[in-house]
Amino acid sequence: YKYYQGTPLFHFGFGLSLTTFSFDCSHEVVSKGADMLSCAIACKVKNTGSLNGDEVLQVYHKALEIGSVDHPLPKRALVEFSRVSLPSKGEATVTFTLTQEHLKVVNKAGERTLYAGTHEVIISRGSPEDEHKFKVKVPHSSAQLVV
C-alpha cells in the first residue's frame, strides 16, 4: 500500500483481538545537541476489555508540504512500532523517540534525504479512525525540529 491511491481492504496492522484497547499520546520536542533534535512520544495504552491481550502501536511518517520533488512519495511510512501485553483493565506507557533520521525520504537516487517543510507523525493501532497525529516542521537549515 506504499503508493496505492485507493482504499485498502485491510490496513497495515489490522488484526483480530478478543479484547478492546484505548490509547492517548503526547509528544515533546527534545534537544540533542546543536545539529539534532528529537521528538519524545509517550502513549498510555489501556486494555479496556475483560480478557488479557496484546496491542501494537505503530508510528508513521508522512511528508506533507516539502515542496516539489522529482520522485514519488509514500502515503505514509512505518518508522517505529511497539507491542505491549496487558492484562484485563491493565495499562502501560509506551515511549518512542523520533529523530530527523525518521523523517527522511528516499529520493530518486535511492538516498535517504531530509526535506525542509511540514511533516506529519501518525500514531496508530492499525485503523485510520483511531489515530493521533501531529505536525513537525523541518527548517531549511535542517538543524532543528519545530512542532
Side-chain angles (χ1 to χ4, degrees):
Y1 301 129
K2 193 170 185 178
Y3 301 105
Y4 181 63
Q5 296 301 314
T7 302
L9 185 58
F10 298 102
H11 296 283
F12 182 79
F14 176 84
L16 176 64
S17 179
L18 298 177
T19 190
T20 56
F21 294 91
S22 66
F23 78 114
D24 188 43
C25 299
S26 62
H27 66 279
E28 179 182 359
V29 174
V30 179
S31 177
K32 292 285 187 186
D35 293 331
M36 184 184 298
L37 292 181
S38 64
C39 183
I41 301 169
C43 297
K44 186 176 181 180
V45 183
K46 184 173 183 178
N47 180 343
T48 56
S50 60
L51 298 172
N52 298 348
D54 287 5
E55 182 62 286
V56 179
L57 291 186
Q58 304 146 31
V59 181
Y60 295 92
H61 163 249
K62 180 179 184 176
L64 285 180
E65 299 166 5
I66 60 170
S68 179
V69 295
D70 62 351
H71 56 85
L73 292 171
K75 290 177 76 173
R76 57 171 63 184
L78 180 68
V79 294
E80 289 285 340
F81 68 92
S82 182
R83 174 181 227 105
V84 61
S85 296
L86 293 171
S88 173
K89 307 303 179 194
E91 58 184 60
T93 300
V94 177
T95 60
F96 301 98
T97 302
L98 301 185
T99 65
Q100 290 182 353
E101 195 65 31
H102 291 96
L103 302 180
K104 289 183 177 180
V105 177
V106 177
N107 66 18
K108 191 174 183 178
E111 303 161 330
R112 293 185 54 78
T113 304
L114 179 64
Y115 289 102
T118 303
H119 298 254
E120 186 172 54
V121 175
I122 305 156
I123 302 105
S124 176
R125 296 178 40 234
S127 171
E129 294 81 30
D130 190 16
E131 296 180 333
H132 293 265
K133 300 178 182 182
F134 62 91
K135 294 179 182 174
V136 175
K137 292 188 187 291
V138 176
H140 288 285
S141 67
S142 71
Q144 58 183 358
L145 291 173
V146 180
V147 176

